[in-house]
Amino acid sequence: MYDVVFIGNDIKSPSLSSFQINPAQLLTARGEIGNFYLKYKDDKEDLNEVETRAVVINIEAEKETPATGLLSFERNLDNILRNTRKDYIVIVQDYNELAPAIVSKEGLEKAIDIRKRFPDLNVYYFYRSMRFIDNNDRRFEQARKMGIVFLKYERDNLKITDSRELIYNREDINLKLKDNIIMAPELKPAAVLDRVARIFNLRKSEKGYLQPENIYLQPTLSGKRGVYVLGGARGTTGYSNLTDEVEFTLNEIRNKTIDPVIEQERVVDDQKCILCYNCYRICNHGAIERDEVLDAMKINYLACQGCNACIARCPAGAISIAGSEDKKQSKGLKVMMCENSAQPAWKKAGNKVRTALNLEIEEIPCACSIKKEDLFNHLSNPENRLLILGCFEESCKHINGDKRGQQVVDEVKATLEKLDLNPERLTFKRLSPRMTADLEYFLSAWKEDSL
Amino acid sequence: MSKIAIVGGGIAGLTAAVELAAAGNRVLIIEKGSEIGGNVESYGCKAVDICTKCNLCLVDDIINDVSSSKNIEILYRTSINDFRGKTGDYTLGIETDGELYSVDNLEYIVLATGFTKWSELETGTPEAFKDNRILWASELEESIKNRIDRENGQDVIDLGYSPESVVFIQCNGSRNMQEKARYCSRICCGYNYRMARVLKHYYPEVDINMFYMDIQEGGFIQDISFSDLAENDIGCINCKPVRIEKNDNNLILHYENQLTGKTESIATDLIVLSEGVHANEVNEKWADLFNLQIDDYGFLMPIESEEQTGIFLAGTVKGPKDIAGTISDSKNIAYRIKNARNLSKSGG
Amino acid sequence: MIVGEQKNIDEIAAMLEKEDFDNLLITGCGTCVTVSMAGGEREVNALAEILQAYFASKNKNVKIQKATVKRQCDFEFLDDLENEVDSTGLVLSLGCGVGVQHLAERFPDKVVLPGLNTSFYGAVTNTGELAERCIGCGNCVLDEYHGVCPIARCSKSLLNGPCGGSQDGKCEVDPEIDCGWQLIYDRVKRLNKLEVVTGYHEPKDWQTYRDGGPRKHVNKEYFGN
C-alpha cells in the first residue's frame, strides 16, 4: 500500500511512500480514498496492480508555438546566438491570447539567461500583459535592470508576416525585425487527459483540462476524494502557484483524516439494479462503481458526498438512503432549498423574517436531488406551488447539480404546460449563501404573488 | 490540556482553526474585533448568470464550521501585549475589554492578522476623497453586497444615482514606490473584473472601461484574457490616467494613448479605484514580540523554521493572497502543525 | 439494446381520453427501456403522478396502479401481473413495441396502450444519450466494413463509399451526425485495411430484412417441448 501514486510526473517526498505510473500505461482505477486499486501495464507489457491511499494526476500541458517557423522556448539557441549576424534577439509573448504566469516566467528567465550569456545582443521583449504571480514581478524588475527592452503591444500594432518578419509601430518607434524571433508557447491540454478522465471518472473543463473550474475543488482537489490534479493537468493557471499547491497536496494526503462526509448511507438494491451505469455517469464524485461479487452497482461510502443525484436519476429506482421513510404529501406553498446556497442565506435571515414568512421549507442536499415524481406529486393539487432554490451555475459543490435540477424543472414545466396544468406554479431560482437580502425580497414577492 | 492559539479571526485564522479543531486539538482564537470573519465579512457575492469564482461561498462554510465546533473558543475584543515561555509551552499576555490576564500552555501560535487595504492607509489618491462619484472598490462593494433583484424597475444596486458609464482604475497602491508597494497586489484585477461583470449584468447599457497596467490572472482558477473582457463588453485602456478633471456633469480622465503617444480623454459618471494589499501595521509588533523578519513592504517572514519555533504564519500576513489562496495556505499551515505534532509525539 | 422514448404527455392524455376506464395500470419494463430512461420504475412513478394530477384537473376519479416487470417480452414475467391486470380497466405499457404486443397477447380481454415510441437499436454514447448502431437487417455485414455498419451509420445506407456531401467528418443530412463513411475510413486506415474503401461491395441481399414479412428465429437446439 502506497501513500500516493503519481499519474504522470513523480514528486519525491520523504514523508510519503509513492509510486509512479505512466498515464498511457494506466488501465483501470477502482476503490476510493484510502484504498484505490490501480491496474497498469509495465514496460514489459505485464499486468500489475498497486494499492494506494491517494492519487495525484500530474501531467504537463502540451506546448504549441503560434505562428510557424519561429524559434521556440524549448530550442537550444546557443549555436544560433553565437553565429548570428543580427545584434538582437526577440521574445514575443501573448501573440494570440494572454499567456499564463508560467509562460511569463519562462519568457523572463529565458530573456535574463540570454542577456547574461550574450551581453552584446539587445534583447527585445514584446508582451501585452506580464503575469506577476509566481514572483514574476521580481524577475521583471531584474530583467529591466539588466537592460532588457520591454515593448508593450496591442493587437493592432504588432504583426508577424508570412515571411517571419516582425513589424511593430508605436508612437515614434517603428521596428522591422527578421530572424532571432522566439515565440512564447501556448498551452493546451495533453491528449492523454481524455483517457485519464475516463479511467478515474473525472469531469473535464470546457477547455479540456481535468475538472471544471469550481471553487470547492481548490487548489488541487478533484470531484473524487483522494484524487488530486496538479499543474498542467488542471489548466493553464494550474502552474501559477505550483510550489504552494504541491506542498498543500502532499500535506493534505499525509494529514487528511478520512471520515465519511455524510452520516446516512446510500444503498443500492442489488435485486433492482440493472447495471445501466447511469448513476456511475451522473456521479460527479466518482463514488460509484460495479460490485463484482454482487454484479450490481455499489456506492463507495467515503467517496460519496451526499448530493443524491444517483437516487433522483436511477431509472430502476434501485438507490435509496438506508432507513429513510417516504415523504409526506405537502400542501400549499413549498420551498425546496439547497443546503449549500439558499439554506445558509435563509438561516442568516433571522427568526423574525422566517416566522413572518411562515413557509414550508424542505432542505435538500442539492438541486440535483429533486425527483420529477415528487414535483408532480406536490403540484397535483392546483392550489399548490413549488419553489426550488439552487446554486448559481458553476458554483455547485457537486459540480453541476444546479444544471441537473434545472433540467428536471424544465421537463416538469414542459409536461405541465402540455396538460394545461399551469406551469407557472413551479419556479427555479439560483442564489448564493451571501444573498440573504435578495432571498428575503424574493420569497415575500413569491408568496404574495402566489396567494 | 495544551492549546493552539490563533491570532486573528479572519478567513486565514478561521480556516486553520477548523482544520486543527477537526483533528481534536483545542483551539483558541484571539480576535481584536467583536465579530469573526475579518475583511471577507464585508464582501458580497459576485455571481452574475454564473459564478465568477469570488470564493465567498467557501468562507460561509468555514464560518459555519467554526460556530459548530466544540473545540474552538473565541476571545473577542482581545489584544496581545506579551509573549513568553518556551517552544511547545508558550504564554500570551492578553487584554480583553481592559482586563489583563494570560493564557498559558500554548503548544503552537498561528499569526493570521491579515492585511490592510490601501484605502485605509492615510496616503492615497487625493482626489478620491472629495467626490461621491469617485469610489474605492470597497465602497462600491457595499452597494453590491446588498443587491436585490427586484422586478419592478427599482435599482438592483443602490448608488444613489444611476451611472451611464463607469471607469475602473487599477494598480492603486500597487506597483509604485511612492505608494510603498513595488509589488503587484495580485487580487485587484480579478476583484474589479468581477465587480464590472456584476454592474454589466444588471445595467447592460452601462459603458465600462478599465485602466490597467497588466491584466493578471483572476485568482486561483480563473484566467482573465482580453477576450473575456471583450465578451463581457468591458473596454480596457493600457495606462494609468494622468489627471482627473471634475465638473458638475461628469468626471474627465486624461491619459496618454500608449500607441500614439497622444493625450486623450474619456468622460465618465463613476470612477472605481482598486485598492492594493498592504501590510498590517501590527506586523511590526509581531516581528518584535515573536522574533520574526519583516520584508521591505512590512510583510512577515519566519527567521527560523516555523516547525522549530512553533510560531506559524498564515494567510496575507505574509503577502498578497486571494481568498482561495489564503484558505489553502491556512489549511497547509494546519497540516504542518499536525505533522509537527505527530513527529514530536513519536519522539522524532 | 432497444431504445425507447416516452411519447409526449399530451399524446398519452389524448390516447387515454378515448377510453372509458376508472382504473389504470401503468406497467414498466425493467430491461432495455429502463436503460434508455424511458420505461423503468422511475418513469412509471413519474407518469403515475402526472396523470393523477391530470385526471384530477378533469374531475375524473381514476385509480392508478403501478407495476414494473423484468421483461415484458416474456410470458413468464407477465404472469406476475395477473392480479393487477384483472383489477384494472386499462393497461398503459411503458415497454417497447414488443412488450405492448406481448401484454395484449397475454391479456386478450384488456385494452393495452403504448406509452413509448420504440426508436432503434443503439448504444449509450454519453450520459443520457443513446445513438443508433444497427437496424436489424438480418444479415450482418460488419465483417466487410470492419466494425462500422454503413447501413445504420450512413444516412443514405450507401455500401460503396460516401455520397460526397460529407463535410469535416459530418453528414450533410444533419451536421450533428458523424459521416458513417468517415468513420469507416478512419477505422480501416487505423487497421491498415484500406481495401475496404477502395474495393467493391456487392449489392446486399435484403431478403433477410422486412421484405419477406415478419421474421422468426427458431433455435433448433432448444425448439419445442
Side-chain angles (χ1 to χ4, degrees):
Chain A
M1 169 79 93
Y2 291 102
D3 288 324
V4 54
V5 165
F6 291 97
I7 307 298
N9 296 340
D10 199 359
I11 301 168
K12 290 276 173 255
S13 163
S15 52
L16 293 173
S17 61
S18 68
F19 187 76
Q20 180 193 14
I21 297 176
N22 176 343
Q25 291 172 329
L26 179 69
L27 299 173
T28 59
R30 292 180 57 80
E32 62 184 323
I33 183 166
N35 287 88
F36 289 107
Y37 304 89
L38 309 181
K39 279 199 179 125
Y40 67 98
K41 261 187 189 165
D42 62 20
D43 293 338
K44 290 175 204 148
E45 297 279 300
D46 288 335
L47 196 67
N48 291 288
E49 188 177 74
V50 283
E51 211 178 325
T52 179
R53 290 173 47 232
V55 173
V56 172
I57 299 166
N58 187 21
I59 298 168
E60 300 288 339
E62 278 168 20
K63 287 180 178 171
E64 206 175 67
T65 307
T68 46
L70 300 170
L71 301 172
S72 71
F73 275 14
E74 272 75 37
R75 182 108 172 244
N76 186 340
L77 301 169
D78 285 12
N79 271 335
I80 298 171
L81 297 183
R82 234 173 258 133
N83 301 321
T84 185
R85 273 182 268 167
K86 300 278 163 79
D87 64 348
Y88 61 81
I89 174 100
V90 175
I91 296 177
V92 182
Q93 184 193 298
D94 311 321
Y95 190 58
N96 285 330
E97 194 38 273
L98 293 190
I102 179 72
V103 172
S104 288
K105 176 183 169 181
E106 287 177 7
L108 289 168
E109 282 176 349
K110 191 108 205 155
I112 290 168
D113 178 59
I114 292 171
R115 188 75 188 149
K116 272 186 191 154
R117 295 194 298 122
F118 301 93
D120 297 337
L121 288 178
N122 290 315
V123 182
Y124 298 128
Y125 198 117
F126 290 94
Y127 72 110
R128 299 182 68 193
S129 256
M130 197 57 78
R131 293 300 179 58
F132 287 127
I133 294 165
D134 205 8
N135 288 325
N136 286 342
D137 32 7
R138 299 212 176 117
R139 291 187 186 95
F140 184 58
E141 211 172 306
Q142 186 194 352
R144 274 169 37 155
K145 280 185 184 150
M146 289 170 76
I148 291 165
V149 181
F150 284 90
L151 291 161
K152 228 173 188 173
Y153 69 95
E154 285 179 33
R155 183 139 283 168
D156 312 328
N157 65 329
L158 181 137
K159 247 186 214 119
I160 293 172
T161 65
D162 292 343
S163 56
R164 289 181 232 157
E165 188 176 33
L166 182 150
I167 302 170
Y168 178 73
N169 300 304
R170 179 188 145 180
E171 287 184 63
D172 46 354
I173 309 173
N174 292 300
L175 287 173
K176 279 190 177 181
L177 303 166
K178 200 161 161 119
D179 303 329
N180 292 358
I181 300 172
I182 307 173
M183 185 59 102
E186 280 170 3
L187 303 185
K188 56 173 202 174
V192 75
L193 290 188
D194 279 346
R195 176 189 172 77
V196 175
R198 203 172 56 244
I199 290 173
F200 284 100
N201 195 12
L202 298 177
R203 303 290 168 264
K204 288 194 299 172
S205 70
E206 251 173 56
K207 289 178 182 152
Y209 293 97
L210 288 186
Q211 286 311 140
E213 290 184 344
N214 184 293
I215 61 160
Y216 294 100
L217 303 183
Q218 297 174 91
T220 56
L221 277 58
S222 74
K224 191 170 187 152
R225 297 182 82 203
V227 176
Y228 298 83
V229 184
L230 268 181
R234 196 162 187 94
T236 52
T237 57
Y239 290 103
S240 303
N241 299 284
L242 193 56
T243 319
D244 289 349
E245 291 181 11
V246 167
E247 194 187 320
F248 170 91
T249 307
L250 299 180
N251 272 331
E252 173 152 320
I253 290 171
R254 198 171 155 194
N255 265 289
K256 197 78 190 170
T257 31
I258 306 163
D259 297 320
V261 172
I262 48 164
E263 290 98 38
Q264 300 158 305
E265 200 168 348
R266 276 75 179 155
V267 286
V268 181
D269 180 341
D270 60 65
Q271 295 301 304
K272 284 180 127 183
C273 174
I274 58 157
L275 285 166
C276 68
Y277 272 81
N278 272 314
C279 55
Y280 172 87
R281 293 190 188 98
I282 226 156
C283 177
N284 284 324
H285 301 297
I288 304 186
E289 61 188 19
R290 185 162 62 96
D291 185 319
E292 283 165 341
V293 178
L294 292 175
D295 209 25
M297 300 310 279
K298 73 162 179 202
I299 297 175
N300 283 323
Y301 190 30
L302 297 174
C304 174
Q305 299 191 20
C307 68
N308 289 356
C310 57
I311 298 180
R313 300 300 172 103
C314 172
I319 311 177
S320 59
I321 294 177
S324 68
E325 286 164 25
D326 281 349
K327 281 176 211 147
K328 285 177 207 144
Q329 170 119 30
S330 46
K331 275 187 192 135
L333 306 184
K334 180 172 162 180
V335 187
M336 294 170 108
M337 287 187 178
C338 161
E339 70 177 9
N340 299 309
S341 49
Q343 272 183 57
W346 179 238
K347 277 176 190 146
K348 277 185 249 167
N351 271 333
K352 237 186 200 171
V353 179
R354 294 205 298 263
T355 320
L357 277 167
N358 188 26
L359 289 163
E360 186 195 332
I361 309 279
E362 184 185 334
E363 300 192 346
I364 53 173
C366 176
C368 69
S369 70
I370 57 172
K371 291 179 172 181
K372 59 180 175 184
E373 57 265 42
D374 292 348
L375 271 50
F376 287 139
N377 183 289
H378 182 74
L379 295 169
S380 61
N381 181 336
E383 301 301 312
N384 288 1
R385 278 163 191 266
L386 184 58
L387 170 64
I388 293 158
L389 298 172
C391 302
F392 280 112
E393 212 176 303
E394 294 190 7
S395 72
C396 169
K397 205 174 215 167
H398 305 292
I399 322 267
N400 62 359
D402 59 301
K403 279 190 191 163
R404 296 248 173 253
Q406 176 94 60
Q407 285 172 345
V408 173
V409 168
D410 288 350
E411 202 186 318
V412 167
K413 280 175 89 92
T415 305
L416 294 171
E417 171 96 64
K418 280 177 190 150
L419 294 179
D420 209 9
L421 292 172
N422 188 10
E424 300 306 314
R425 295 179 296 141
L426 175 61
T427 310
F428 184 70
K429 182 180 164 67
R430 301 160 186 273
L431 76 165
S432 84
R434 290 261 150 160
M435 294 171 73
T436 302
D438 195 58
L439 175 64
E440 279 175 29
Y441 176 86
F442 185 81
L443 284 177
S444 53
W446 177 73
K447 191 178 173 182
E448 205 173 298
D449 187 45
S450 305
L451 292 174
Chain B
M1 190 183 157
S2 66
K3 276 186 249 186
I4 298 169
I6 294 179
V7 187
I11 189 61
L14 299 180
T15 306
V18 166
E19 200 60 48
L20 289 165
N25 298 290
R26 283 178 64 211
V27 177
L28 179 69
I29 298 175
I30 300 169
E31 165 59 39
K32 70 170 193 269
S34 316
E35 272 174 48
I36 52 167
N39 278 312
V40 290
E41 267 308 277
S42 63
Y43 299 157
C45 172
K46 310 278 188 321
V48 288
D49 283 331
I50 66 168
C51 168
T52 59
K53 323 285 186 308
C54 76
N55 290 304
L56 279 174
C57 296
L58 298 175
V59 176
D60 287 287
D61 277 6
I62 292 162
I63 291 177
N64 288 341
D65 289 348
V66 168
S67 36
S68 61
S69 172
K70 286 182 195 118
N71 289 336
I72 300 176
E73 185 192 341
I74 307 172
L75 295 172
Y76 295 98
R77 299 176 302 281
T78 301
S79 58
I80 293 170
N81 302 324
D82 189 25
F83 165 73
R84 55 188 184 272
K86 58 178 198 313
T87 305
D89 187 12
Y90 290 124
T91 298
L92 285 175
I94 59 176
E95 181 180 342
T96 305
D97 294 333
E99 188 197 337
L100 291 165
Y101 57 108
S102 5
V103 282
D104 46 20
N105 219 344
L106 299 174
E107 200 177 356
Y108 297 98
I109 294 173
V110 180
L111 290 175
T113 47
F115 69 97
T116 304
K117 286 177 206 159
W118 171 238
S119 60
E120 287 166 359
L121 295 170
E122 292 226 4
T123 45
T125 314
E127 287 108 319
F129 299 106
K130 288 173 197 139
D131 198 307
N132 63 1
R133 297 168 299 177
I134 304 178
L135 298 179
W136 290 110
S138 54
E139 294 173 307
L140 178 61
E141 174 87 54
E142 278 297 307
S143 321
I144 288 181
K145 190 177 124 190
N146 295 315
R147 62 174 156 157
I148 292 175
D149 203 350
R150 296 175 217 267
E151 279 155 29
N152 54 8
Q154 271 178 281
D155 274 339
V156 177
I157 299 166
D158 184 17
L159 285 171
Y161 68 105
S162 32
E164 283 169 16
S165 62
V166 183
V167 164
F168 286 85
I169 303 177
Q170 297 298 90
C171 305
N172 297 296
S174 298
R175 301 185 61 190
N176 188 330
M177 269 322 281
Q178 288 164 345
E179 292 169 0
K180 292 181 193 156
R182 197 194 287 280
Y183 56 85
C184 161
S185 290
R186 286 155 206 213
I187 60 163
C188 343
C189 279
Y191 185 67
N192 284 355
Y193 165 72
R194 290 181 181 103
M195 216 126 61
R197 286 191 63 181
V198 173
L199 284 176
K200 202 77 200 176
H201 179 64
Y202 291 112
Y203 305 107
E205 70 289 354
V206 168
D207 244 353
I208 296 182
N209 280 289
M210 205 172 259
F211 282 88
Y212 72 98
M213 288 161 77
D214 291 276
I215 295 280
Q216 298 304 311
E217 287 164 5
F220 243 34
I221 44 175
Q222 203 177 32
D223 201 359
I224 302 176
S225 62
F226 285 119
S227 43
D228 291 330
L229 293 165
E231 243 172 61
N232 293 295
D233 202 13
I234 301 167
C236 33
I237 302 165
N238 181 10
C239 66
K240 258 188 155 177
V242 189
R243 194 162 57 86
I244 299 173
E245 188 186 314
K246 297 192 281 187
N247 60 43
D248 290 346
N249 295 329
N250 52 21
L251 302 156
I252 298 167
L253 289 111
H254 299 279
Y255 65 96
E256 190 188 311
N257 183 323
Q258 300 292 299
L259 284 187
T260 60
K262 286 183 188 135
T263 305
E264 293 179 10
S265 61
I266 181 172
T268 183
D269 307 329
L270 175 64
I271 293 177
V272 182
L273 304 168
S274 73
E275 305 167 67
V277 172
H278 283 246
N280 204 319
E281 63 179 10
V282 79
N283 286 4
E284 284 169 31
K285 179 169 151 188
W286 301 151
D288 287 346
L289 213 50
F290 298 105
N291 187 32
L292 300 162
Q293 196 183 336
I294 205 151
D295 76 5
D296 294 349
Y297 308 111
F299 293 108
L300 291 176
M301 284 184 285
I303 294 174
E304 293 166 80
S305 121
E306 290 162 290
E307 274 77 1
Q308 265 163 28
T309 60
I311 312 287
F312 286 81
L313 302 173
T316 51
V317 77
K318 292 181 282 194
K321 273 187 176 50
D322 63 6
I323 295 175
T326 303
I327 292 174
S328 55
D329 180 62
S330 305
K331 270 194 188 168
N332 191 33
I333 293 296
Y335 295 149
R336 281 171 57 189
I337 292 174
K338 287 198 253 172
N339 286 345
R341 216 166 181 217
N342 291 340
L343 274 181
S344 66
K345 266 190 192 156
S346 62
Chain C
M1 184 81 42
I2 293 170
V3 179
E5 196 180 341
Q6 219 171 91
K7 281 182 178 291
N8 279 337
I9 190 71
D10 43 350
E11 200 184 332
I12 294 177
M15 200 191 288
L16 295 171
E17 201 69 31
K18 291 182 211 148
E19 305 294 329
D20 182 28
F21 61 98
D22 48 20
N23 208 319
L24 171 70
L25 173 66
I26 305 177
T27 57
C29 179
T31 306
C32 309
V33 294
T34 299
V35 175
S36 51
M37 299 148 293
E41 188 173 310
R42 173 179 187 255
E43 297 304 323
V44 169
N45 285 335
L47 188 61
E49 292 290 352
I50 186 64
L51 286 178
Q52 199 76 72
Y54 171 70
F55 294 138
S57 77
K58 299 280 169 200
N59 292 320
K60 231 187 209 175
N61 196 4
V62 176
K63 190 181 167 226
I64 299 180
Q65 297 183 79
K66 304 175 283 189
T68 301
V69 294
K70 188 94 183 162
R71 282 201 309 275
Q72 291 188 7
C73 52
D74 260 322
F75 285 144
E76 282 75 4
F77 290 111
L78 298 185
D79 289 347
D80 294 343
L81 292 175
E82 191 97 48
N83 272 337
E84 283 94 339
V85 176
D86 268 353
S87 62
T88 194
L90 185 66
V91 180
L92 176 61
S93 164
L94 290 185
C96 67
V98 183
V100 178
Q101 293 181 57
H102 224 51
L103 271 164
E105 192 173 339
R106 174 67 181 74
F107 303 108
D109 302 327
K110 299 286 175 184
V111 174
V112 182
L113 295 175
L116 291 191
N117 295 318
T118 309
S119 311
F120 50 79
Y121 311 131
V124 178
T125 44
N126 199 342
T127 311
E129 180 188 273
L130 298 111
E132 183 162 20
R133 290 290 181 266
C134 175
I135 69 156
C137 73
N139 183 10
C140 193
V141 294
L142 282 170
D143 57 328
E144 271 184 67
Y145 297 93
H146 291 289
V148 183
C149 176
I151 300 159
R153 308 293 290 277
C154 166
S155 299
K156 301 173 188 179
S157 298
L158 295 177
L159 298 181
N160 280 291
C163 64
S166 161
Q167 245 187 21
D168 301 326
K170 296 292 173 187
C171 174
E172 72 169 354
V173 171
D174 179 350
E176 293 283 297
I177 302 171
D178 288 324
C179 167
W181 271 96
Q182 180 79 46
L183 298 172
I184 294 173
Y185 173 76
D186 290 345
R187 183 157 167 83
V188 295
K189 195 176 156 199
R190 194 184 182 117
L191 294 175
N192 212 8
K193 290 178 185 292
L194 277 169
E195 67 273 13
V196 171
V197 282
T198 53
Y200 169 68
H201 300 270
E202 292 281 336
K204 186 175 157 57
D205 177 2
W206 286 96
Q207 286 183 77
T208 54
Y209 193 46
R210 299 270 314 120
D211 305 35
R215 292 169 285 178
K216 188 180 244 178
H217 165 68
V218 174
N219 192 320
K220 295 193 179 70
E221 247 185 299
Y222 289 83
F223 184 64
N225 291 313

